[in-house]
Amino acid sequence: MGQGNNFSKGLLIGFFTGGTLGAALALLYAPKSGKEFRKDIKEKSDEYLDEAEKYISQAKEKAVDMINEGKKRSDKLVKDAKERSDQIMKDAEKVYKDAKGKVSDSVKTGKESFEQKRDQVKDAIKAGVDAYKESKNTGE
């Protein structure tokens, strides 16, 4: 926007300068009375003011359009960023739930395996105690 604004200013300055110089030269070389000369200067200056007002009005409209377009783009960027962050959060929650489920399954499997081994050790100890008692009873 800054480069276009500089171009617009330069164009406006060039327009006024060229118009003023052209009008002044045309009026100076035209054989007219002072009254006619002043009238022509006034008419030309009014014409240039009208054209300048039109140009300024158009420039304002373009600036407003550019601002509105920029606002629309920034709103869209914000909306897109929010949608992406929401999706990332959903994905993160899914990964968390999956990991939690796998950990729970692993803990459950580990607990079952531990209980199975514990029962085997208990049975082995009981068998050893029973065998000891039996050998002690038969030995007496």
Side-chain angles (χ1 to χ4, degrees):
M1 189 166 139
Q3 193 174 23
N5 196 14
N6 287 341
F7 177 75
S8 299
K9 284 181 183 177
L11 186 63
L12 186 61
I13 290 170
F15 177 72
F16 280 128
T17 304
T20 303
L21 286 175
L25 285 174
L27 292 174
L28 287 175
Y29 286 105
K32 295 184 179 184
S33 69
K35 190 174 188 179
E36 288 177 343
F37 183 67
R38 286 190 297 272
K39 180 182 173 193
D40 287 346
I41 290 176
K42 182 170 178 8
E43 287 175 1
K44 287 293 180 186
S45 66
D46 288 344
E47 285 178 31
Y48 288 132
L49 285 175
D50 288 343
E51 287 182 37
E53 286 175 2
K54 287 179 190 175
Y55 181 77
I56 290 171
S57 175
Q58 289 174 349
K60 283 181 184 178
E61 288 175 14
K62 285 182 182 181
V64 167
D65 289 345
M66 290 174 74
I67 289 169
N68 289 338
E69 182 64 28
K71 187 174 180 181
K72 285 178 188 176
R73 286 183 183 178
S74 68
D75 289 346
K76 185 179 182 326
L77 286 173
V78 168
K79 181 183 173 191
D80 289 348
K82 185 177 183 317
E83 288 173 359
R84 287 181 184 164
S85 68
D86 289 345
Q87 186 61 44
I88 289 171
M89 288 301 294
K90 286 178 185 176
D91 291 346
E93 287 176 14
K94 184 180 182 297
V95 168
Y96 172 74
K97 285 179 183 178
D98 289 348
K100 187 177 176 183
K102 287 179 183 179
V103 168
S104 295
D105 290 345
S106 295
V107 168
K108 184 178 177 184
T109 302
K111 185 177 178 182
E112 289 172 356
S113 177
F114 172 76
E115 289 173 353
Q116 211 174 30
K117 296 291 181 188
R118 182 189 67 195
D119 290 343
Q120 287 175 353
V121 169
K122 275 185 177 179
D123 290 343
I125 291 174
K126 184 177 179 196
V129 170
D130 288 345
Y132 175 74
K133 285 182 184 177
E134 189 177 315
S135 71
K136 191 173 180 185
N137 287 340
T138 53
E140 290 183 0

